[in-house]
């Protein structure tokens, strides 16, 4: 799977938020997107996931224009995990994960076949959610809920995952637990991932490359070590920062704001 944007711009009504972004998500790569509030991170994700239409340019998956492809066809290739803070679903975890098989069914098919059921069971197992499959989604903790929706994405059998700040409402324990799980799955299942992430140090710890957005424009795209520099941190976040070496790789120490 290769996702490419070419001069991609999008926004809301008459307001263009994302401005002519060019990037490529490599096969089996984890790309993090960071930037200050209002930089366009979530808007970019909504654009490439078809929630928003492009105002110019295009996004392509394996050479096919995402916005000109069928909804069902794209759903077989791309899975989206939105922010879930207001969710109050009455269905069980198992019922939720079964929805992931919808793109693989014809419109008149309502029942899951043996292949579908096996995929659902495998997805629950991969995320350690089998024991919780009969619990209502609304009763889950934040970390469990994120794993339930990751199970849904895996059942969908899409090889490209788009996640919008998946750790924002989790404490540090569940942040690391969820991202460790995602790291294992993305390598074991040959996934390509784009994650909008608020914490630059989590991005540095888990992502292969990091894209920095500012005012809707892409100002840097490279490895964490090359992107998280004092100059770029000042430009993007208006902070003074320095790189420090740690047992988990390069991290940023924020010294002060400007």
């Amino acid at each position: 799977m290769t996702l490419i944007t070419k001069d991609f711009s999008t926004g809301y009504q008459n307001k263009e938020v994302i401005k002519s972004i060019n990037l490529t998500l490599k096969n089996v790569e984890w790309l993090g997107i960071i930037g200050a509030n209002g930089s366009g991170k979530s808007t970019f994700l909504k654009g490439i996931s078809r929630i928003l239409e492009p105002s110019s340019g295009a996004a392509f998956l394996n050479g096919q224009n995402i916005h000109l492809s069928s909804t069902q066809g794209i759903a077989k290739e791309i899975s989206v995990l939105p922010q879930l803070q207001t969710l109050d679903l009455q269905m069980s975890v198992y019922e939720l994960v079964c929805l992931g098989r919808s793109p693989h069914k014809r419109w008149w098919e309502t029942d899951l076949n043996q292949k579908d059921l096996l995929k659902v069971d495998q997805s629950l197992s991969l995320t350690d959610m089998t024991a919780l499959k009969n619990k209502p989604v609304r009763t889950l903790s934040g970390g469990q809920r994120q794993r339930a929706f990751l199970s849904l994405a895996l059942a969908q059998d899409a090889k490209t995952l788009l996640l919008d700040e998946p750790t924002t409402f989790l404490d540090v324990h569940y942040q690391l637990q969820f991202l460790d799980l995602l790291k294992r799955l993305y390598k074991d299942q040959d996934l390509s991932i784009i994650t909008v992430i608020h914490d630059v140090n989590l991005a540095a710890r888990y992502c292969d490359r990091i894209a920095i957005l500012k005012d809707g424009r892409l100002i840097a795209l490279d490895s964490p070590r090359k992107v998280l520099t004092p100059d770029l941190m000042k430009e993007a976040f208006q902070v003074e920062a320095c790189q420090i070496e740690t047992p988990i790789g390069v991290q940023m120490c924020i010294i002060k704001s400007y």
Side-chain angles (χ1 to χ4, degrees):
M1 296 292 167
T2 303
L3 190 150
I4 299 173
T5 65
K6 294 184 177 179
D7 299 322
F8 186 78
S9 302
T10 190
Y12 306 91
Q13 297 179 344
N14 296 324
K15 182 181 179 181
E16 188 174 78
V17 177
I18 295 300
K19 302 162 187 174
S20 194
I21 287 183
N22 294 282
L23 64 75
T24 298
L25 175 66
K26 301 174 184 177
N27 187 37
V28 192
E29 178 187 36
W30 191 340
L31 175 65
I33 299 180
I34 65 173
N37 291 343
S39 61
K41 303 183 298 295
S42 294
T43 301
F44 176 71
L45 211 66
K46 290 177 181 178
I48 60 176
S49 62
R50 292 171 41 118
I51 296 173
L52 297 174
E53 291 290 327
S55 53
S56 62
F60 301 90
L61 184 67
N62 292 334
Q64 301 297 312
N65 188 313
I66 290 173
H67 291 83
L68 299 180
S69 301
S70 70
T71 299
Q72 185 177 31
I74 289 298
K76 292 178 181 178
E77 309 291 349
I78 297 177
S79 184
V80 182
L81 274 73
Q83 294 183 27
L84 306 172
Q85 66 271 27
T86 60
L87 191 64
D88 188 26
L89 291 181
Q90 302 297 316
M91 66 179 64
S92 70
V93 170
Y94 190 82
E95 290 170 329
L96 173 72
V97 178
C98 284
L99 295 177
R101 300 306 297 163
S102 299
H104 302 274
K105 312 301 290 183
R106 295 181 176 89
W107 65 268
W108 64 84
E109 293 179 316
T110 57
D111 296 327
L112 300 186
N113 58 31
Q114 196 62 36
K115 179 181 177 181
D116 296 322
L117 295 173
L118 179 60
K119 192 66 183 180
V120 169
D121 288 339
Q122 289 174 339
S123 300
L124 288 164
S125 178
L126 285 169
T127 56
D128 300 319
M129 289 296 290
T130 302
L132 300 174
K133 68 179 184 180
N134 293 319
K135 292 196 67 171
V137 175
R138 60 183 173 79
T139 67
L140 300 178
S141 68
Q144 291 169 341
R145 187 173 295 191
Q146 287 295 61
R147 284 191 285 134
F149 273 83
L150 183 56
S151 302
L152 165 63
L154 294 174
Q156 194 172 324
D157 216 15
K159 289 298 184 181
T160 301
L161 270 60
L162 309 179
L163 299 93
D164 190 1
E165 299 197 20
T167 61
T168 297
F169 301 97
L170 305 180
D171 64 35
V172 64
H173 169 77
Y174 286 111
Q175 287 180 7
L176 297 180
Q177 185 184 72
F178 180 79
L179 293 174
D180 282 341
L181 170 63
L182 193 60
K183 184 176 182 177
R184 173 171 59 83
L185 290 174
Y186 115 89
K187 292 188 174 181
D188 290 348
Q189 304 296 313
D190 292 335
L191 303 176
S192 299
I193 300 175
I194 296 180
T195 307
V196 169
I197 194 162
H198 183 73
D199 189 317
V200 296
N201 282 323
L202 288 178
R205 178 170 180 162
Y206 289 98
C207 298
D208 299 312
R209 290 191 300 157
I210 294 175
I212 301 182
L213 299 188
K214 181 183 179 184
D215 298 329
R217 299 188 184 277
L218 180 65
I219 63 170
L221 175 59
D222 213 319
S223 67
R225 187 176 299 276
K226 293 182 179 179
V227 163
L228 298 178
T229 65
D231 287 344
L232 281 170
M233 290 293 290
K234 181 178 180 180
E235 181 180 357
F237 296 99
Q238 298 300 298
V239 296
E240 181 182 340
C242 65
Q243 287 188 358
I244 56 175
E245 296 295 335
T246 77
I248 56 168
V250 67
Q251 295 279 274
M252 296 305 295
C253 177
I254 309 301
I255 299 170
K256 66 177 183 179
S257 63
Y258 288 103

